[in-house]
Amino acid sequence: MAVYTDIAEDDLKWFLTEYDAGTLLSYKGIAEGVENSNFLLHTSKDPLILTLYEKRVEKSDLPFFLGLMQHLAARGLSCPLPLPRRDGALLGSLSGRPAALISFLEGMWLRKPEAKHCREVGRALAEMHVAGDGFELKRANALSIDGWRGLWEKSEARAGEVEPGLQTEIRNELDFLSTAWPSGLPAGVIHADLFPDNVFFLGDQLSGLIDFYFACNDLLAYDVSICLNAWCFEKDGAYNITKGTAMLEGYQSVRPLSDAEIAALPVLSRGSALRFFLTRLYDWLTTPEGAMVTKKDPLEYLRKLRFHRQIKSPAEYGLSL
């Protein structure tokens, strides 16, 4: 979440008249994240999240995102729900941007997750994969292997500003992944961005998943690798195998991984590390000064990518083979 586009109070009050949302009491921007402009609204009824979809989000993708949240919630997954307008539509317009009101989910994200939390995240991810079965809309993953080279080309000329020698290293990595990337693995709807700030807890109890604006159709085990990267490394860059074991056990308690998925995990983890390195690199180099947004260090994911290159067996992630 972030704020790129500001909104005027009078415009927001007019926008709310199209919903059964009550009277506006207060609102404030939410700075975390990098994708859309988000605001927390307090009304005379319930707190809500207002999302303005910025230029990097295709308007044609919004029915997928909003419909997916409805689909998952109907199947018992705890996630925010889009609030319909009085005319039944889920999408409106505010400050020149497509906009939606989303229900507020109780809880907070963990700054220092432990292994027990990783187990719950693994279980919730598998539950989402199972619940997503049958969702009829499809969305290709533009930030999977077919899109990485184009994303790299947008940053390559300036990559040396972040670390010398990056051009050669990333070109070699792209060449490797283009030949080693697995095919034929189980696929379905994935979250594709299940970082700690997109998982809410009440105490030690997971209360829900949020921010489905990267969700798409892709390999389910690729989503697992994203979570290993996001949850199971410490601040010093070390992989925490206790957390990895807990996450993988939690996931497999709901949806066991196939032998082929397990074998592919090192390559998938290299790919997901590269994906977040590339998007962070692009944002690091191009986010304008003064934007109310928290930029994230791309080198964190470069270090993770280098770790995955050294993996000799999936057992090193904490899997019982």
Side-chain angles (χ1 to χ4, degrees), residues 195-225:
F195 278 63
D197 56 353
N198 288 331
V199 181
F200 281 4
F201 283 82
L202 288 169
D204 290 331
Q205 176 98 28
L206 193 150
S207 60
L209 311 182
I210 68 166
D211 201 352
F212 287 83
Y213 300 114
F214 286 103
C216 55
N217 296 90
D218 208 331
L219 304 179
L220 300 180
Y222 176 61
D223 221 9
V224 176
S225 78

Side-chain angles (χ1 to χ4, degrees), residues 120-130 190-192 194 209 220 223-225 227 247 251:
E120 293 304 305
V121 172
R123 181 181 294 113
L125 180 67
E127 289 172 348
M128 189 210 124
H129 289 168
V130 172
I190 70 169
H191 186 282
L194 202 60
L209 311 182
L220 300 180
D223 221 9
V224 176
S225 78
C227 284
M247 176 166 287
Y251 185 89

